[in-house]
Amino acid sequence: RRRIAGAVHAWAGDKEGAIMVATELLREPGALKVATLRYSPFWAPMRDDPRIQALIADPKNNAPLF
């Protein structure tokens, strides 16, 4: 549900809300993947935001979970 909420924030223009949800979801194992932020159309309105780019580029968000 929260992934959907993040996408709704993104498409509604609430960048702060979308960033907050994305950050929280990336901290939870399996809740959101960096590839989803990068390629999913649900997050398309946020791709140009430097904060999303920073989340995508952050090595700890790309680390394997094992």
Side-chain angles (χ1 to χ4, degrees), residues 3-4 6-12 18 32-48 52:
R3 280 187 284 179
I4 294 170
V8 169
H9 285 293
W11 279 96
L32 181 67
K33 295 182 171 112
V34 170
T36 303
L37 284 177
R38 185 176 288 147
Y39 301 116
S40 174
F42 295 116
W43 291 93
M46 296 297 296
R47 285 206 191 102
D48 295 340
I52 286 289

Side-chain angles (χ1 to χ4, degrees), residues 2-3 58 62:
R2 290 187 332 185
R3 280 187 284 179
D58 190 343
N62 291 302

Side-chain angles (χ1 to χ4, degrees), residues 6-23:
V8 169
H9 285 293
W11 279 96
D14 178 15
K15 291 187 175 193
E16 296 300 323
I19 295 291
M20 183 178 67
V21 171
T23 303

